[in-house]
Amino acid sequence: MSGRGMSAAAQREARASLAQSFLARFEGLKARLPGDARAREAAALAFGERGLPGPRDEAWKYTNLRALAGMAFHEPFTVVAGCNGLLDRLPAIAAPRLVFVDGRLRQDLSRLPGTMRVSGFAQTPDFGTLVHPEREPLAALNTMLAQDGAMISVAEGVDAGTLVLASLAADVHGRPVAFHPRHRVRLARGARLTLIEISLGEGVYLHNPVSEVLVGQGAVLTHVRLQDEAPGAFHLATLYADIAARGTYDGFALNIGARIARTEIHARLGGENAVAHLNGAQLLGGTQHADFTSVVSHEAPSCTSRQTIKNVLSGKSRGVFQGRIEVARGAQKTDGYQMNQALLLSADAEIDSKPELEIYADDVKCSHGATVGALDADQIFYLRSRGVPEPEARALLVRAFLAEALDPIADETARTCLDEAVERWWERQAA
Amino acid sequence: MLEIKGLKADVDGTEILKGIDLAVPTGEVHAVMGPNGSGKSTLAYVLAGRDDYAVTGGSATFDGVDLLSLEPEARAAAGLFLAFQYPVELPGVGNANFLRTALNATRRARGEPELDAVQFLKLARAETRRLSVPDDMLKRNVNVGFSGGEKKRNEVLQMAILRPKLAILDETDSGLDIDALKIVAHGVNTLRGPDFSALVITHYQRLLDHIIPDRVHVLAGGRIVRSGGPELAHELEAHGYASVAAEAA
C-alpha cells in the first residue's frame, strides 16, 4: 500500500493502527526490556496520546509518514543471516568499531576501542536526561521499545581518536522490521572524539535511533553521519546534544539513502563560548524524501552555531529543511548562522525550507538564508567548450556545490568516506 | 582549415548572422573586427556550439568536419577553443582540477592517454611560467575573485594547456592593460605555426599590433563587408567602422 491516494481519515487510521501495534508490542515485551520501567511507561503514555506524527503536527508539516503507516513491522531476529554482504559495504576504516545488526550490538563483529568506555544499552541501560518523549513522538516510541544501543564515554582530557558506529539492517525474509536503538555519547571535560556513524541495509525496515550527546567543558566531538539506508527503508533519527562551556559539537550528516529520512537535532548551547556545527547534505533521487530538522538553543552568552545544509535533488525527490534558532534572554553575543541551499536537477524535484529565529536577547548576530536553483547553463557550456562531456560537467558542478558543505570536514577518514558516498550516489543517478 | 559559408543564426527570433562567408586556412591568424552589435560574439558562440543560438542556414566546417553537427565538447576534441569574452566563474571548482579534467577529457576523446596529477602539474607549471601567470592561479577556484585581466590570462593559460588547432578569441583584449595585452598576445604568438589557426575577434586595432594577423575581416550588420591585409586594421582605426561599412555598401 503506497498510501499516496489515501484520504486524510484513512491516513489517520493507518497511523493509529501502526501506533497501536507498537503499543501492543511494548505491552508484550515490557517485562523483558532493560532499564527504567517508569521511563518506558511514561513514554508509552505519551506515545499513546500523541501517536505517530501526522500532517497537523507543526514539526512534521512537510514530512508525511503515510508510507510508513501503511507498513506492518515485525521484531527483528537477533541473528541475521548473511550480514557479511552488508559488512563488506562498510568503508574500510582502520579505527575501532561498534557494529549493530538490526539494532543489536554484535560484539563478534565489533572491534572495541581501548581509549574510551563502551558498552551496550542492553547491558547498561541509561535513558539519560536530554530526551523529550513527551514532545517528540518518535523519541517516545524509541524510549518505549529501545532494546540496545551504544553507550560511549570518554574520560577527562582523553583524545579518544576515531570510533565507527555502524548500523546494518536487513528485513527478515521480506518482512519489514523496526528497531529503535538508544545511543549515548558522553565526553568529559577536555575530551575529544571523532565518531563516524554509518547506517546501511537491505529491504524494508524502520531505523529509529535516538542519541543523547553530552559534550563537556572544552571537549570536542566530531560527529559525522552517513545515512545510506536501503531504498525501501525509513530512517528517523533524533539527536539531543548538550554542549558545555567552550565545548564543540561538530556535526555533519550526509543523507543519500532511505525512502523517507529525517535527521532531527536538538542542540543546547549551555555554557559560554560553546560551539555547534549542524551541517549536512541531502542527495536524493527517485521519490526519496529527506527532512533535516534542527532546533538550536542558545542559552549562554557568546556561543556560536553554524549550519549549512545543501540539497541536491533529482527525479521527483523532496528535501525539507526546518531550522530554528532560539536565543534565550541572557544569551548575549550569540552568533548564529543558518544557510539552506538546494540544487534542483529536475523540474519535478522539490525543496521546502522553513528557517525560524526566536530571539530574546538584544546583542546578537543571527542570520539565515536559503537559495534554490538549477545548474547554471553558462557554467555547463563553459565546461563543455573545454571538452568536458555534459554528464561529467554536471557531476563536476554538483560536487562543487557540495564542496562548501564538505570542505570544513577536517577529519580525513570521515571526508574520504563521505566523498565515496557522494560518488556512489552520483553513479546511481547516472545508472 | 575553417570554412564558413552563408552562415545565418538567430537569437530569440532575431537574425544576427545574415550570411557569413569566411575561410581561415590552416596556419593563418585572421582578425574579425566590427562595431558593437555587428554579430562578432554571436559568430564565436555559434562556432563553439552554444545552444541558445539557432543556426538557420549555411555551414561551418573545420578540416572538412561539419562543426555545426557536433556537441560543444566534440568541437573541443576536434581542436576548437573559444577564449570567452566573459569567462565564467566556477565556485567550488579548483582551477588545476578544471584544467586537468578538460585536458584529460579532450585527450580521452582523441584516444590519447590521460595525464596523472603529477604529469599534469608539471605541464601546467611550465605553462604558467611561460605566460608569467602566478602559480597560485592554479590553486584558486576557476575565475572566482579574478580581476578582468586575470580572467583573460586564465583563458590564455587554458588555451596553452589544451593546445587547440583553432582558437577563437572573443574580445580577449577588452579590459586589459598594456602588460596583460602583451601576455595574451605572447600566448597566441607562441602557438603560431603551420598547424595552428586563430580567429581574433576584436573591436580595436591595438591587439593586432601584437598579434599581426594574416587577414582582417570587417563584420557589420551580420555580414563580412570587407576583407584585407593587416593594413585594414589601421584604416579602420583611422577612419572608423562607419566609413568602411559605408564604402562596402
Side-chain angles (χ1 to χ4, degrees), chain A residues 145-178:
Chain A
L145 288 171
Q147 303 204 25
D148 211 344
M151 303 275 111
I152 299 161
S153 65
V154 183
E156 184 171 335
V158 172
D159 183 345
T162 299
L163 176 68
V164 175
L165 178 58
S167 167
L168 310 182
D171 56 12
V172 181
H173 308 303
R175 281 158 33 119
V177 296

PDB file of all heavy atoms in Angstrom, chain A residues 145-178:
ATOM      1  N   LEU A 145      10.510   1.289  23.270  1.00  0.00           N
ATOM      2  CA  LEU A 145      10.900  -0.014  22.702  1.00  0.00           C
ATOM      3  C   LEU A 145      12.401  -0.238  22.549  1.00  0.00           C
ATOM      4  O   LEU A 145      12.817  -1.299  22.060  1.00  0.00           O
ATOM      5  CB  LEU A 145      10.227  -0.198  21.331  1.00  0.00           C
ATOM      6  CG  LEU A 145       8.714  -0.452  21.367  1.00  0.00           C
ATOM      7  CD1 LEU A 145       8.132  -0.397  19.957  1.00  0.00           C
ATOM      8  CD2 LEU A 145       8.398  -1.798  22.015  1.00  0.00           C
ATOM      9  N   ALA A 146      13.228   0.710  22.983  1.00  0.00           N
ATOM     10  CA  ALA A 146      14.681   0.540  22.815  1.00  0.00           C
ATOM     11  C   ALA A 146      15.159  -0.732  23.499  1.00  0.00           C
ATOM     12  O   ALA A 146      14.795  -1.012  24.637  1.00  0.00           O
ATOM     13  CB  ALA A 146      15.423   1.748  23.387  1.00  0.00           C
ATOM     14  N   GLN A 147      15.957  -1.506  22.777  1.00  0.00           N
ATOM     15  CA  GLN A 147      16.487  -2.732  23.370  1.00  0.00           C
ATOM     16  C   GLN A 147      18.001  -2.698  23.506  1.00  0.00           C
ATOM     17  O   GLN A 147      18.564  -3.375  24.349  1.00  0.00           O
ATOM     18  CB  GLN A 147      16.085  -3.941  22.513  1.00  0.00           C
ATOM     19  CG  GLN A 147      14.577  -4.030  22.361  1.00  0.00           C
ATOM     20  CD  GLN A 147      14.106  -5.429  22.058  1.00  0.00           C
ATOM     21  OE1 GLN A 147      14.766  -6.402  22.384  1.00  0.00           O
ATOM     22  NE2 GLN A 147      12.946  -5.533  21.441  1.00  0.00           N
ATOM     23  N   ASP A 148      18.633  -1.945  22.609  1.00  0.00           N
ATOM     24  CA  ASP A 148      20.095  -1.920  22.649  1.00  0.00           C
ATOM     25  C   ASP A 148      20.561  -0.563  22.116  1.00  0.00           C
ATOM     26  O   ASP A 148      19.734   0.263  21.706  1.00  0.00           O
ATOM     27  CB  ASP A 148      20.662  -3.073  21.801  1.00  0.00           C
ATOM     28  CG  ASP A 148      21.994  -3.584  22.344  1.00  0.00           C
ATOM     29  OD1 ASP A 148      22.607  -2.871  23.169  1.00  0.00           O
ATOM     30  OD2 ASP A 148      22.425  -4.684  21.948  1.00  0.00           O
ATOM     31  N   GLY A 149      21.848  -0.375  22.133  1.00  0.00           N
ATOM     32  CA  GLY A 149      22.410   0.897  21.676  1.00  0.00           C
ATOM     33  C   GLY A 149      23.851   0.981  22.124  1.00  0.00           C
ATOM     34  O   GLY A 149      24.367   0.041  22.739  1.00  0.00           O
ATOM     35  N   ALA A 150      24.499   2.092  21.797  1.00  0.00           N
ATOM     36  CA  ALA A 150      25.899   2.260  22.173  1.00  0.00           C
ATOM     37  C   ALA A 150      25.990   3.276  23.299  1.00  0.00           C
ATOM     38  O   ALA A 150      25.473   4.376  23.184  1.00  0.00           O
ATOM     39  CB  ALA A 150      26.718   2.737  20.985  1.00  0.00           C
ATOM     40  N   MET A 151      26.641   2.881  24.375  1.00  0.00           N
ATOM     41  CA  MET A 151      26.901   3.789  25.495  1.00  0.00           C
ATOM     42  C   MET A 151      28.402   4.067  25.459  1.00  0.00           C
ATOM     43  O   MET A 151      29.206   3.170  25.716  1.00  0.00           O
ATOM     44  CB  MET A 151      26.537   3.117  26.833  1.00  0.00           C
ATOM     45  CG  MET A 151      25.088   2.633  26.936  1.00  0.00           C
ATOM     46  SD  MET A 151      23.955   3.959  27.461  1.00  0.00           S
ATOM     47  CE  MET A 151      23.023   4.200  25.981  1.00  0.00           C
ATOM     48  N   ILE A 152      28.745   5.280  25.075  1.00  0.00           N
ATOM     49  CA  ILE A 152      30.158   5.609  24.843  1.00  0.00           C
ATOM     50  C   ILE A 152      30.558   6.730  25.787  1.00  0.00           C
ATOM     51  O   ILE A 152      29.862   7.744  25.857  1.00  0.00           O
ATOM     52  CB  ILE A 152      30.354   6.091  23.386  1.00  0.00           C
ATOM     53  CG1 ILE A 152      29.945   4.986  22.403  1.00  0.00           C
ATOM     54  CG2 ILE A 152      31.792   6.543  23.133  1.00  0.00           C
ATOM     55  CD1 ILE A 152      29.660   5.485  20.996  1.00  0.00           C
ATOM     56  N   SER A 153      31.646   6.554  26.521  1.00  0.00           N
ATOM     57  CA  SER A 153      32.100   7.707  27.280  1.00  0.00           C
ATOM     58  C   SER A 153      33.609   7.849  27.264  1.00  0.00           C
ATOM     59  O   SER A 153      34.359   6.875  27.344  1.00  0.00           O
ATOM     60  CB  SER A 153      31.521   7.719  28.700  1.00  0.00           C
ATOM     61  OG  SER A 153      32.008   6.646  29.419  1.00  0.00           O
ATOM     62  N   VAL A 154      34.037   9.086  27.094  1.00  0.00           N
ATOM     63  CA  VAL A 154      35.456   9.402  27.012  1.00  0.00           C
ATOM     64  C   VAL A 154      35.814  10.200  28.262  1.00  0.00           C
ATOM     65  O   VAL A 154      35.152  11.196  28.582  1.00  0.00           O
ATOM     66  CB  VAL A 154      35.782  10.225  25.744  1.00  0.00           C
ATOM     67  CG1 VAL A 154      37.286  10.474  25.632  1.00  0.00           C
ATOM     68  CG2 VAL A 154      35.272   9.510  24.489  1.00  0.00           C
ATOM     69  N   ALA A 155      36.872   9.762  28.937  1.00  0.00           N
ATOM     70  CA  ALA A 155      37.247  10.365  30.214  1.00  0.00           C
ATOM     71  C   ALA A 155      37.917  11.721  30.017  1.00  0.00           C
ATOM     72  O   ALA A 155      38.381  12.051  28.918  1.00  0.00           O
ATOM     73  CB  ALA A 155      38.182   9.424  30.970  1.00  0.00           C
ATOM     74  N   GLU A 156      37.961  12.472  31.098  1.00  0.00           N
ATOM     75  CA  GLU A 156      38.509  13.832  31.089  1.00  0.00           C
ATOM     76  C   GLU A 156      39.883  13.914  30.428  1.00  0.00           C
ATOM     77  O   GLU A 156      40.776  13.125  30.718  1.00  0.00           O
ATOM     78  CB  GLU A 156      38.607  14.331  32.542  1.00  0.00           C
ATOM     79  CG  GLU A 156      39.061  15.769  32.626  1.00  0.00           C
ATOM     80  CD  GLU A 156      38.959  16.326  34.049  1.00  0.00           C
ATOM     81  OE1 GLU A 156      38.142  15.819  34.842  1.00  0.00           O
ATOM     82  OE2 GLU A 156      39.712  17.268  34.349  1.00  0.00           O
ATOM     83  N   GLY A 157      39.993  14.843  29.504  1.00  0.00           N
ATOM     84  CA  GLY A 157      41.289  15.125  28.889  1.00  0.00           C
ATOM     85  C   GLY A 157      41.775  14.087  27.880  1.00  0.00           C
ATOM     86  O   GLY A 157      42.840  14.249  27.292  1.00  0.00           O
ATOM     87  N   VAL A 158      40.996  13.050  27.644  1.00  0.00           N
ATOM     88  CA  VAL A 158      41.469  11.988  26.747  1.00  0.00           C
ATOM     89  C   VAL A 158      41.091  12.287  25.297  1.00  0.00           C
ATOM     90  O   VAL A 158      39.954  12.634  25.006  1.00  0.00           O
ATOM     91  CB  VAL A 158      40.869  10.612  27.160  1.00  0.00           C
ATOM     92  CG1 VAL A 158      41.187   9.536  26.128  1.00  0.00           C
ATOM     93  CG2 VAL A 158      41.384  10.215  28.531  1.00  0.00           C
ATOM     94  N   ASP A 159      42.071  12.150  24.408  1.00  0.00           N
ATOM     95  CA  ASP A 159      41.774  12.198  22.985  1.00  0.00           C
ATOM     96  C   ASP A 159      41.554  10.769  22.523  1.00  0.00           C
ATOM     97  O   ASP A 159      42.492   9.993  22.378  1.00  0.00           O
ATOM     98  CB  ASP A 159      42.924  12.853  22.214  1.00  0.00           C
ATOM     99  CG  ASP A 159      42.607  12.990  20.726  1.00  0.00           C
ATOM    100  OD1 ASP A 159      41.639  12.335  20.251  1.00  0.00           O
ATOM    101  OD2 ASP A 159      43.313  13.741  20.033  1.00  0.00           O
ATOM    102  N   ALA A 160      40.302  10.402  22.328  1.00  0.00           N
ATOM    103  CA  ALA A 160      39.953   9.001  22.095  1.00  0.00           C
ATOM    104  C   ALA A 160      40.088   8.580  20.632  1.00  0.00           C
ATOM    105  O   ALA A 160      39.829   7.439  20.286  1.00  0.00           O
ATOM    106  CB  ALA A 160      38.546   8.739  22.591  1.00  0.00           C
ATOM    107  N   GLY A 161      40.472   9.501  19.750  1.00  0.00           N
ATOM    108  CA  GLY A 161      40.644   9.130  18.343  1.00  0.00           C
ATOM    109  C   GLY A 161      39.313   8.937  17.637  1.00  0.00           C
ATOM    110  O   GLY A 161      38.359   9.662  17.891  1.00  0.00           O
ATOM    111  N   THR A 162      39.269   7.938  16.772  1.00  0.00           N
ATOM    112  CA  THR A 162      38.094   7.735  15.925  1.00  0.00           C
ATOM    113  C   THR A 162      37.369   6.447  16.295  1.00  0.00           C
ATOM    114  O   THR A 162      37.995   5.432  16.586  1.00  0.00           O
ATOM    115  CB  THR A 162      38.531   7.673  14.443  1.00  0.00           C
ATOM    116  OG1 THR A 162      39.146   8.913  14.100  1.00  0.00           O
ATOM    117  CG2 THR A 162      37.348   7.440  13.523  1.00  0.00           C
ATOM    118  N   LEU A 163      36.047   6.508  16.300  1.00  0.00           N
ATOM    119  CA  LEU A 163      35.229   5.316  16.520  1.00  0.00           C
ATOM    120  C   LEU A 163      34.162   5.277  15.432  1.00  0.00           C
ATOM    121  O   LEU A 163      33.536   6.293  15.117  1.00  0.00           O
ATOM    122  CB  LEU A 163      34.565   5.377  17.908  1.00  0.00           C
ATOM    123  CG  LEU A 163      33.590   4.240  18.242  1.00  0.00           C
ATOM    124  CD1 LEU A 163      34.335   2.904  18.392  1.00  0.00           C
ATOM    125  CD2 LEU A 163      32.814   4.542  19.522  1.00  0.00           C
ATOM    126  N   VAL A 164      33.979   4.089  14.866  1.00  0.00           N
ATOM    127  CA  VAL A 164      32.927   3.915  13.863  1.00  0.00           C
ATOM    128  C   VAL A 164      31.731   3.250  14.537  1.00  0.00           C
ATOM    129  O   VAL A 164      31.875   2.266  15.254  1.00  0.00           O
ATOM    130  CB  VAL A 164      33.421   3.037  12.689  1.00  0.00           C
ATOM    131  CG1 VAL A 164      32.285   2.749  11.706  1.00  0.00           C
ATOM    132  CG2 VAL A 164      34.587   3.726  11.974  1.00  0.00           C
ATOM    133  N   LEU A 165      30.567   3.828  14.319  1.00  0.00           N
ATOM    134  CA  LEU A 165      29.330   3.235  14.834  1.00  0.00           C
ATOM    135  C   LEU A 165      28.505   2.849  13.615  1.00  0.00           C
ATOM    136  O   LEU A 165      28.010   3.709  12.886  1.00  0.00           O
ATOM    137  CB  LEU A 165      28.598   4.267  15.696  1.00  0.00           C
ATOM    138  CG  LEU A 165      27.252   3.887  16.303  1.00  0.00           C
ATOM    139  CD1 LEU A 165      27.383   2.653  17.179  1.00  0.00           C
ATOM    140  CD2 LEU A 165      26.705   5.048  17.129  1.00  0.00           C
ATOM    141  N   ALA A 166      28.423   1.538  13.371  1.00  0.00           N
ATOM    142  CA  ALA A 166      27.755   1.082  12.147  1.00  0.00           C
ATOM    143  C   ALA A 166      26.425   0.435  12.464  1.00  0.00           C
ATOM    144  O   ALA A 166      26.329  -0.394  13.372  1.00  0.00           O
ATOM    145  CB  ALA A 166      28.655   0.092  11.417  1.00  0.00           C
ATOM    146  N   SER A 167      25.413   0.826  11.736  1.00  0.00           N
ATOM    147  CA  SER A 167      24.120   0.169  11.864  1.00  0.00           C
ATOM    148  C   SER A 167      23.824  -0.558  10.563  1.00  0.00           C
ATOM    149  O   SER A 167      23.645   0.062   9.522  1.00  0.00           O
ATOM    150  CB  SER A 167      23.032   1.209  12.141  1.00  0.00           C
ATOM    151  OG  SER A 167      21.755   0.610  11.963  1.00  0.00           O
ATOM    152  N   LEU A 168      23.809  -1.872  10.637  1.00  0.00           N
ATOM    153  CA  LEU A 168      23.477  -2.666   9.459  1.00  0.00           C
ATOM    154  C   LEU A 168      22.056  -3.187   9.655  1.00  0.00           C
ATOM    155  O   LEU A 168      21.675  -3.559  10.759  1.00  0.00           O
ATOM    156  CB  LEU A 168      24.430  -3.859   9.313  1.00  0.00           C
ATOM    157  CG  LEU A 168      25.924  -3.548   9.405  1.00  0.00           C
ATOM    158  CD1 LEU A 168      26.736  -4.824   9.197  1.00  0.00           C
ATOM    159  CD2 LEU A 168      26.325  -2.503   8.386  1.00  0.00           C
ATOM    160  N   ALA A 169      21.292  -3.181   8.592  1.00  0.00           N
ATOM    161  CA  ALA A 169      19.906  -3.611   8.743  1.00  0.00           C
ATOM    162  C   ALA A 169      19.492  -4.490   7.591  1.00  0.00           C
ATOM    163  O   ALA A 169      19.955  -4.320   6.465  1.00  0.00           O
ATOM    164  CB  ALA A 169      18.990  -2.392   8.809  1.00  0.00           C
ATOM    165  N   ALA A 170      18.628  -5.437   7.897  1.00  0.00           N
ATOM    166  CA  ALA A 170      18.073  -6.277   6.838  1.00  0.00           C
ATOM    167  C   ALA A 170      16.698  -6.714   7.283  1.00  0.00           C
ATOM    168  O   ALA A 170      16.489  -7.012   8.456  1.00  0.00           O
ATOM    169  CB  ALA A 170      18.969  -7.484   6.609  1.00  0.00           C
ATOM    170  N   ASP A 171      15.757  -6.700   6.360  1.00  0.00           N
ATOM    171  CA  ASP A 171      14.458  -7.242   6.737  1.00  0.00           C
ATOM    172  C   ASP A 171      14.592  -8.766   6.784  1.00  0.00           C
ATOM    173  O   ASP A 171      15.589  -9.334   6.344  1.00  0.00           O
ATOM    174  CB  ASP A 171      13.351  -6.786   5.780  1.00  0.00           C
ATOM    175  CG  ASP A 171      13.641  -7.133   4.329  1.00  0.00           C
ATOM    176  OD1 ASP A 171      14.584  -7.914   4.070  1.00  0.00           O
ATOM    177  OD2 ASP A 171      12.938  -6.610   3.457  1.00  0.00           O
ATOM    178  N   VAL A 172      13.620  -9.425   7.389  1.00  0.00           N
ATOM    179  CA  VAL A 172      13.738 -10.862   7.572  1.00  0.00           C
ATOM    180  C   VAL A 172      12.771 -11.543   6.616  1.00  0.00           C
ATOM    181  O   VAL A 172      11.558 -11.400   6.755  1.00  0.00           O
ATOM    182  CB  VAL A 172      13.436 -11.231   9.034  1.00  0.00           C
ATOM    183  CG1 VAL A 172      13.577 -12.727   9.229  1.00  0.00           C
ATOM    184  CG2 VAL A 172      14.384 -10.480   9.951  1.00  0.00           C
ATOM    185  N   HIS A 173      13.317 -12.226   5.624  1.00  0.00           N
ATOM    186  CA  HIS A 173      12.507 -12.896   4.598  1.00  0.00           C
ATOM    187  C   HIS A 173      11.445 -11.957   4.051  1.00  0.00           C
ATOM    188  O   HIS A 173      10.273 -12.323   3.933  1.00  0.00           O
ATOM    189  CB  HIS A 173      11.851 -14.165   5.158  1.00  0.00           C
ATOM    190  CG  HIS A 173      12.839 -15.084   5.817  1.00  0.00           C
ATOM    191  ND1 HIS A 173      13.943 -15.572   5.155  1.00  0.00           N
ATOM    192  CD2 HIS A 173      12.911 -15.561   7.080  1.00  0.00           C
ATOM    193  CE1 HIS A 173      14.640 -16.331   5.976  1.00  0.00           C
ATOM    194  NE2 HIS A 173      14.049 -16.334   7.152  1.00  0.00           N
ATOM    195  N   GLY A 174      11.838 -10.754   3.752  1.00  0.00           N
ATOM    196  CA  GLY A 174      10.919  -9.800   3.149  1.00  0.00           C
ATOM    197  C   GLY A 174       9.920  -9.191   4.108  1.00  0.00           C
ATOM    198  O   GLY A 174       9.090  -8.391   3.705  1.00  0.00           O
ATOM    199  N   ARG A 175       9.980  -9.581   5.401  1.00  0.00           N
ATOM    200  CA  ARG A 175       9.057  -8.964   6.365  1.00  0.00           C
ATOM    201  C   ARG A 175       9.725  -7.743   6.970  1.00  0.00           C
ATOM    202  O   ARG A 175      10.815  -7.843   7.522  1.00  0.00           O
ATOM    203  CB  ARG A 175       8.698  -9.964   7.469  1.00  0.00           C
ATOM    204  CG  ARG A 175       7.646 -10.960   7.003  1.00  0.00           C
ATOM    205  CD  ARG A 175       7.614 -12.258   7.804  1.00  0.00           C
ATOM    206  NE  ARG A 175       7.936 -12.192   9.207  1.00  0.00           N
ATOM    207  CZ  ARG A 175       7.080 -12.541  10.188  1.00  0.00           C
ATOM    208  NH1 ARG A 175       5.849 -12.886   9.894  1.00  0.00           N
ATOM    209  NH2 ARG A 175       7.473 -12.531  11.427  1.00  0.00           N
ATOM    210  N   PRO A 176       9.071  -6.573   6.875  1.00  0.00           N
ATOM    211  CA  PRO A 176       9.697  -5.365   7.410  1.00  0.00           C
ATOM    212  C   PRO A 176       9.950  -5.485   8.915  1.00  0.00           C
ATOM    213  O   PRO A 176       9.120  -6.050   9.636  1.00  0.00           O
ATOM    214  CB  PRO A 176       8.658  -4.278   7.142  1.00  0.00           C
ATOM    215  CG  PRO A 176       7.748  -4.835   6.106  1.00  0.00           C
ATOM    216  CD  PRO A 176       7.759  -6.316   6.287  1.00  0.00           C
ATOM    217  N   VAL A 177      11.067  -4.965   9.372  1.00  0.00           N
ATOM    218  CA  VAL A 177      11.365  -4.961  10.798  1.00  0.00           C
ATOM    219  C   VAL A 177      11.530  -3.517  11.270  1.00  0.00           C
ATOM    220  O   VAL A 177      11.785  -2.620  10.475  1.00  0.00           O
ATOM    221  CB  VAL A 177      12.646  -5.758  11.139  1.00  0.00           C
ATOM    222  CG1 VAL A 177      12.468  -7.234  10.800  1.00  0.00           C
ATOM    223  CG2 VAL A 177      13.856  -5.176  10.403  1.00  0.00           C
ATOM    224  N   ALA A 178      11.349  -3.325  12.574  1.00  0.00           N
ATOM    225  CA  ALA A 178      11.559  -2.000  13.169  1.00  0.00           C
ATOM    226  C   ALA A 178      12.501  -2.143  14.353  1.00  0.00           C
ATOM    227  O   ALA A 178      12.397  -3.101  15.118  1.00  0.00           O
ATOM    228  CB  ALA A 178      10.227  -1.412  13.626  1.00  0.00           C
TER     229      ALA A 178
END
